[in-house]
Amino acid sequence: MKISGAQMVMEALKHENVDTIFGYPGGNVLNLYDMLYDTDIRHILSRHEQGAAHAADGYARATGKPGVVLATSGPGATNLVTGIAAAYMDSVPMVFITGQVAIPLIGTDAFQEVDITGITLPITKHNFLVKDVRELPTIIKQAFYLATTGRCGPVLIDIPKDVQQAVAEFRYPENVSIPGYNPTYNGHPGQISRGARAIARAKKPVIYAGGGVTNSGAYEELLQLAEQCGIPVTTTLMGLSAFPGNHPLALGMLGMHGTYWANMAVSNADMILAVGARFDERVTGDAKRFASKAKIVHIDIDPAEIGKNVQVDVPIVGDVKLVLTELLKKLGPSDTGPWLEKIAKWKEETPLSYSQDMNGEISPQFVIEKIYEKTQGKALIATEVGQHQMWTAQYYKFTRPRSLASSGGLGAMGYGFPASLGMQVGRPDELVFCIAGDGSFLMNSQELAMAVEYNIPVKVAIINNQCLGMVRQLQQFYCKGRYISVDLQQVPDFAKMAEAYGALGLRVEKPADVVPAIEEALAFSGPAVIDFRVMSNTNVFPMVPPNSQINKMIKGEQK
Amino acid sequence: MRYVLAVLVEDKPGVLVRVAGLFSRRGYNIESLAVGKTVEPMVSRMTIEVEADEKILEQIIKQLYKLINVLKVSNLTQEPSVDRELVLIKVSADVGNRAEIQQIVETFRAKIVDVALNSIIIEVTGNQEKIEAITMLLSQYTILEVVRTGKIAILRGSKTIK
Ligand SMILES: Cc1ncc(C[n+]2csc(CCOP(=O)(O)OP(=O)(O)O)c2C)c(N)n1
């Protein structure tokens, strides 16, 4: 049977078991939306395409299924760009479908024409401009396959209007063959043996786990390996929900705002097992002196990550879950007692700390710690970007896989709130929190309308320090306190704003009211925003100055 | 050091941009790039000359492989291979020095492919050294314009890149 290109897209989405998409309509996706009308696919209308992109990203991170976004040509497509980049940097499986002007108009600067495949070339795993409706089924199949296999990432399909309208025979391919794409899943047995030997020999081992653990679904395997061999685990921001934060072997996050003991452990380790992590500069500080006493075993599905930033002793290219499974077979228990004791001493010496005067202003960390206690580390959390993000990483102990969505690589303010909505849409039975800064929240607060329209009961905790805290901190340290453009007194009353959208809005100014407000929001069945007025000049510690060794931390305020 | 890569790519729109974009985005230096069809339908071959150290070269190759349309990357630098470049050089010339220039051209087994009142065009094919040598000699006259194809290279013997 012959069907239109727009119908093909719908059929293909059904074949890919897509039941929810996020998007925003427009002239050059008219046909797509018209065909969407006849399907059971749920379309969630954002209020800005960036919101749709981040929401679908949160959906993907929380569920492991690809996030799908539909947007029109021109401004619709350019509004996606930050969302695509965020997904690319964090290897999130996503498929973006954009409308394009009709083929004869391409290259004529037609109304709402932009070269979105050109624009997104460096921020997609791959992209397609469909020139012939007959290629559409194969292209969509390939797009989903590319997005969800190997190192995951966003793929964009740009479909001109006349291709959406053209008709052709539809047969959805069962298999994909992409000659230039053959990810390696099974680790090389010889390398795995070498890795196992390095692990077994280590007296001071540390596992450094990243987002790859989540993407490959290796939560159990990682836990088992750590426990079996008694190896402490530090994670990147992306890896926080890949290992239970309340586990005795958990060291918390490492790097720039990592815990003192995690950074000390890594700097003194004799073996680092890097699992699905990429030695980002926020993690390594001065990469040349990172973990300089350690033999490094690096497991990653992307060969290009191996040796990119740091010299590796035992590279193992492959799927983290499969490789860990093989490693487990070769490893027995080892005695790391003295090493764990040493780490415990570092922790005792310099724990994470803050103070809360119950009669004074609210400390930002206090709010996050209370959210942790109230949810017992079981909530799904999306964060925005800034100090509150780092405090979440430090004080919220994630205990379940896929329970954190945070823009790690791109660090995009405006990510967290829409992402939290997507997480909730993907996992409707879970409790979802968005931990936001006052600056970040304003970047996509229009999605309160999405939250209310679809009754997505996310609880937003705005850590409102009346400033762009992270930048204020940088200006304090590196610009001699010459504060410029970081003051954020002029913001709306967030509680009233939430109410105006039809959500619950609360404002908290006293430490004693923090817990009751959290409880009230939790008791409410719909979306809620709590404006926590916290002190404005708190800094995130520890802190590794740029490009220095990560064991050279500024531990706290100079007194 | 300078490396020569043979890169087989799917012959699809945008592939050249993907490859070139990768180099500029990651700050790799392309010395030259030549591209053309192969005997295989839908497969093109690029010869890319890069200036890099060994570590960067390894990254370049891995990053190239990450491009979905890239089928194969071979490093020809250390392999016995034949490499050539074609250059067209327009030199200012008149009756006074044409004979002299002709002599240089013959010595290098180059060709004069166009003669005008005040200029001639010389076609040279060869490896880098030859091209540099003739360019150097010709520079005593006025070189008006130079066009180069970039290097292409092929393995010696029956071994092929597929
Ligand atoms: C889109 C975007 N613009 C600018 C920045 C730079 N930036 C990083 S953190 C930050 C301040 C964030 O302020 P806020 O959301 O209030 O969080 P806080 O640091 O105060 O917790 C800024 C401006 C960014 N990360 N993203």
Side-chain angles (χ1 to χ4, degrees), chain A residues 436-486:
Chain A
D438 42 330
S440 298
F441 183 67
L442 276 182
M443 285 211 178
N444 273 316
S445 58
Q446 78 285 346
E447 301 307 340
L448 276 167
M450 187 211 286
V452 172
E453 179 181 351
Y454 299 95
N455 193 27
I456 308 170
V458 165
K459 315 301 173 198
V460 183
I462 302 178
I463 310 298
N464 184 350
N465 53 5
Q466 299 102 58
C467 65
L468 298 173
M470 188 55 102
V471 181
R472 189 206 51 72
Q473 176 169 353
L474 293 174
Q475 289 181 355
Q476 178 186 335
F477 278 87
Y478 304 113
C479 306
K480 307 194 181 88
R482 288 150 46 92
Y483 299 117
I484 174 167
S485 295
V486 289

Side-chain angles (χ1 to χ4, degrees), chain A residues 419-436:
Chain A
S420 72
L421 298 176
M423 291 180 100
Q424 183 80 79
V425 168
R427 286 166 70 179
D429 301 329
E430 305 279 353
L431 175 61
V432 181
F433 259 89
C434 169
I435 298 180

Side-chain angles (χ1 to χ4, degrees), chain A residues 121-122 127 302-304 306, chain B residues 18 25 59 62 66 68-69:
Chain A
L121 211 66
N127 61 24
D302 181 357
I306 286 170
Chain B
R18 286 178 202 277
R25 184 161 75 244
Q59 265 299 308
K62 285 173 168 177
K66 279 181 77 168
I68 308 298
N69 300 128

Side-chain angles (χ1 to χ4, degrees), chain A residues 88 121-122 125-127 146 151 178-181 302-308 311, chain B residues 10 12-14 17-18 25-26 55 58-59 62-63 65-71:
Chain A
Y88 183 70
L121 211 66
K125 183 164 170 184
H126 194 61
N127 61 24
L146 288 169
R151 177 172 180 179
I178 306 172
Y181 180 71
D302 181 357
E305 285 306 338
I306 286 170
K308 185 177 83 176
Q311 211 57 42
Chain B
E10 286 182 282
K12 288 197 171 160
V17 182
R18 286 178 202 277
R25 184 161 75 244
R26 294 199 179 259
K55 209 181 141 225
E58 189 187 320
Q59 265 299 308
K62 285 173 168 177
Q63 292 293 346
Y65 268 122
K66 279 181 77 168
L67 296 177
I68 308 298
N69 300 128
V70 168
L71 303 170

Side-chain angles (χ1 to χ4, degrees), chain B residues 17-48:
Chain B
V17 182
R18 286 178 202 277
V19 171
L22 170 70
F23 278 80
S24 68
R25 184 161 75 244
R26 294 199 179 259
Y28 307 144
N29 295 322
I30 296 189
E31 293 297 323
S32 75
L33 188 157
V35 55
K37 292 188 188 304
T38 63
V39 284
E40 207 71 44
M42 299 305 292
V43 176
S44 294
R45 176 162 167 161
M46 297 180 179
T47 308
I48 306 178

